Amino acid sequence: MGVTSNKKLGFGLMRLPQTDPADPKSIDLAACEKMADEFIRRGFTYFDTAWMYHEMTSEISTKKFLVERHPRETYTLATKMHSSYFNTEEERDAYFEAQLEKTGAGYFDYYLLHDMGRDNYEKFTRLHCFEFLQQKKEEGLIRHIGFSSHEDAEHVDKFLTEHPEMEFVQLQINYLDWDNGGVQSRLCYEAAERHGKDVVVMEPVKGGTLAKVPEEVEKMFRAYAPDRSPASWAIRFAASLPNVKVVLSGMSSMEQLLDNTDYMQDFTPLTEEEKEILKKAAKIIEGDIAIPCTGCSYCTNGCPQNIAIPRYFSLYNNAKADHKEAWTPQMEYYERATHTFGKASDCIGCGQCEAICPQHLPIIDLLKDVADLFEAED
């Protein structure tokens, strides 16, 4: 795969620090500059962005806090092509050119066909996107081509079989989803392994779920390694897999970046004892999560009712974790959020969110549960 650094940690630019928590476009560039500087100073090089991150401002911000401030050879940059944003080959070409302009990077070290599913695969094929990536690689505008996927293992195998030119695949892998029948982390990883493809890991901490674990799990982690954060266990799990070359972490603060880079500086794979601890942790956590949403926010783009779905699911999970029968602080957060966004009960059941959800969640029904909990007295 040719990663510039041998460090396995990548900086995911999907959850950057914001000056206004309610506005994804309000990226805190000053904070990002300090974080990017420290990341590179510590010997890490991999940055991962995409067209739609931070409501289409992540690539632009990446130019400001990274590209314009660091020599091109000191970092590697990955971005992606999502089929939702073009419908013709001409629009595809314009999309790519716009990414080059937005990032100012000159070329992309890693370029992915994003969210490869059976539906998108048909569109990528029809619009000759695989051939397009190869052409751009020959022109020197892309160094390595691959795809990301939230599909089942059968289809990941199909994509790799039909397109052996793909050099790597980006998969959702974490210890909670490893044997999950819906996500199929292990089976998808094994499919990539059979094809001899390098793996980039996304959602190693499952949208923050594995950074804030139940108290029972945290005590178990602390008993074994008092100074190690819950997130470190999750990221080291993914990084310990032999075919994994980069583990992406969406870092929102310098504190998170320092923690991640500290334990990944001289990475050591999990021991067998640590693996057993994570198996026990997964069983405990599985019984504690009401809605396994990762907070990717794909579902919110274009929602006709402007419902803050991931935010509401997070509040719902937190409320359920409180194990209280009456009021919880999350009810206040929910009520205030509805002054800006549509209520959960405003859902009209159009299904747009379910069609794009990488976790295949029954969002329409889950929003009813959210409404039942938070709007009972409305």
Side-chain angles (χ1 to χ4, degrees):
M1 188 170 174
V3 180
T4 302
S5 166
N6 61 359
K7 308 289 189 185
K8 276 195 169 187
L9 179 69
F11 194 157
L13 307 179
M14 179 182 180
R15 298 182 176 94
L16 294 169
Q18 299 170 196
T19 56
D20 178 358
D23 180 10
K25 294 183 178 180
S26 66
I27 295 172
D28 187 338
L29 288 176
C32 289
E33 287 178 0
K34 293 177 182 178
M35 291 170 69
D37 292 354
E38 186 63 18
F39 191 72
I40 292 174
R41 191 187 72 78
R42 292 186 171 214
F44 297 86
T45 64
Y46 196 102
F47 292 82
D48 172 89
T49 184
W51 181 276
M52 73 291 298
Y53 292 172
H54 281 274
E55 295 187 359
M56 310 195 189
T57 61
S58 177
E59 289 178 324
I60 296 170
S61 296
T62 299
K63 179 180 182 180
K64 295 176 181 177
F65 69 75
L66 176 67
V67 177
E68 292 181 345
R69 301 179 60 256
H70 290 274
R72 187 63 182 87
E73 67 275 10
T74 62
Y75 62 87
T76 54
L77 183 62
T79 194
K80 312 171 186 77
M81 176 175 284
H82 198 295
S83 68
S84 297
Y85 299 96
F86 58 91
N87 292 299
T88 66
E89 292 185 22
E90 291 74 21
E91 290 177 352
R92 176 205 65 193
D93 295 354
Y95 176 109
F96 183 80
E97 291 300 320
Q99 288 180 300
L100 285 172
E101 182 178 353
K102 286 167 70 176
T103 62
Y107 63 90
F108 299 116
D109 299 277
Y110 306 97
Y111 197 85
L112 301 87
L113 294 178
H114 194 33
D115 192 21
M116 185 81 74
R118 61 200 80 180
D119 49 349
N120 294 335
Y121 184 67
E122 186 279 329
K123 187 173 184 179
F124 285 138
T125 301
R126 176 167 48 83
L127 295 180
H128 301 103
C129 294
F130 293 96
E131 294 85 351
F132 178 79
L133 262 61
Q134 285 187 292
Q135 176 190 336
K136 294 305 173 185
K137 182 180 177 183
E138 291 170 3
E139 294 174 2
L141 296 176
I142 298 174
R143 298 288 173 85
H144 302 283
I145 58 176
F147 66 88
S148 67
S149 183
H150 290 282
E151 258 288 9
D152 58 35
E154 178 183 354
H155 283 83
V156 168
D157 182 76
K158 168 186 166 68
F159 305 150
L160 291 172
T161 298
E162 296 183 2
H163 288 281
E165 73 276 13
M166 295 288 101
E167 299 170 75
F168 67 100
V169 57
Q170 186 164 304
L171 300 170
Q172 176 172 318
I173 295 176
N174 57 70
Y175 68 82
L176 193 61
D177 290 328
W178 187 241
D179 288 309
N180 182 280
V183 179
Q184 298 185 355
S185 282
R186 177 175 59 81
L187 295 176
C188 289
Y189 170 80
E190 290 173 351
E193 192 175 39
R194 284 195 303 274
H195 286 271
K197 304 300 181 183
D198 290 329
V199 174
V200 174
V201 172
M202 56 183 165
E203 300 292 355
V205 191
K206 202 170 172 65
T209 296
L210 302 182
K212 298 179 181 179
V213 295
E215 185 177 353
E216 182 181 356
V217 173
E218 185 159 5
K219 286 181 178 179
M220 187 165 58
F221 287 165
R222 297 293 184 194
Y224 184 86
D227 298 325
R228 195 183 300 165
S229 67
S232 73
W233 285 82
I235 290 177
R236 286 183 62 236
F237 170 84
S240 295
L241 297 168
N243 270 40
V244 167
K245 300 305 177 184
V246 179
V247 179
L248 300 175
S249 177
M251 294 176 276
S252 304
S253 68
M254 180 63 83
E255 180 184 12
Q256 293 174 359
L257 185 142
L258 294 176
D259 178 46
N260 284 343
T261 52
D262 277 346
Y263 63 79
M264 290 298 288
Q265 188 75 252
D266 297 305
F267 169 71
T268 55
L270 293 174
T271 64
E272 290 304 314
E273 185 177 4
E274 289 172 320
K275 292 177 184 177
E276 288 303 313
I277 290 173
L278 283 180
K279 287 180 182 178
K280 294 177 183 177
K283 290 182 180 179
I284 296 170
I285 297 170
E286 283 169 356
D288 206 64
I289 298 175
I291 303 175
C293 170
T294 67
C296 71
S297 295
Y298 291 178
C299 57
T300 58
N301 290 333
C303 172
Q305 301 299 93
N306 191 31
I307 300 172
I309 299 169
R311 180 179 297 192
Y312 292 169
F313 285 174
S314 177
L315 292 173
Y316 183 86
N317 284 338
N318 289 343
K320 287 295 185 180
D322 283 345
H323 301 295
K324 294 179 180 178
E325 295 299 324
W327 180 89
T328 72
Q330 283 72 31
M331 293 178 178
E332 290 288 341
Y333 287 118
Y334 176 82
E335 195 277 329
R336 288 168 182 160
T338 60
H339 291 282
T340 303
F341 304 99
K343 295 182 178 181
S345 61
D346 291 338
C347 174
I348 59 175
C350 68
Q352 175 177 293
C353 53
E354 293 188 358
I356 201 171
C357 176
Q359 310 305 319
H360 311 293
L361 298 176
I363 294 174
I364 296 170
D365 288 338
L366 291 172
L367 284 173
K368 293 176 182 177
D369 294 338
V370 172
D372 288 344
L373 179 63
F374 291 135
E375 301 178 32
E377 298 180 3
D378 282 7

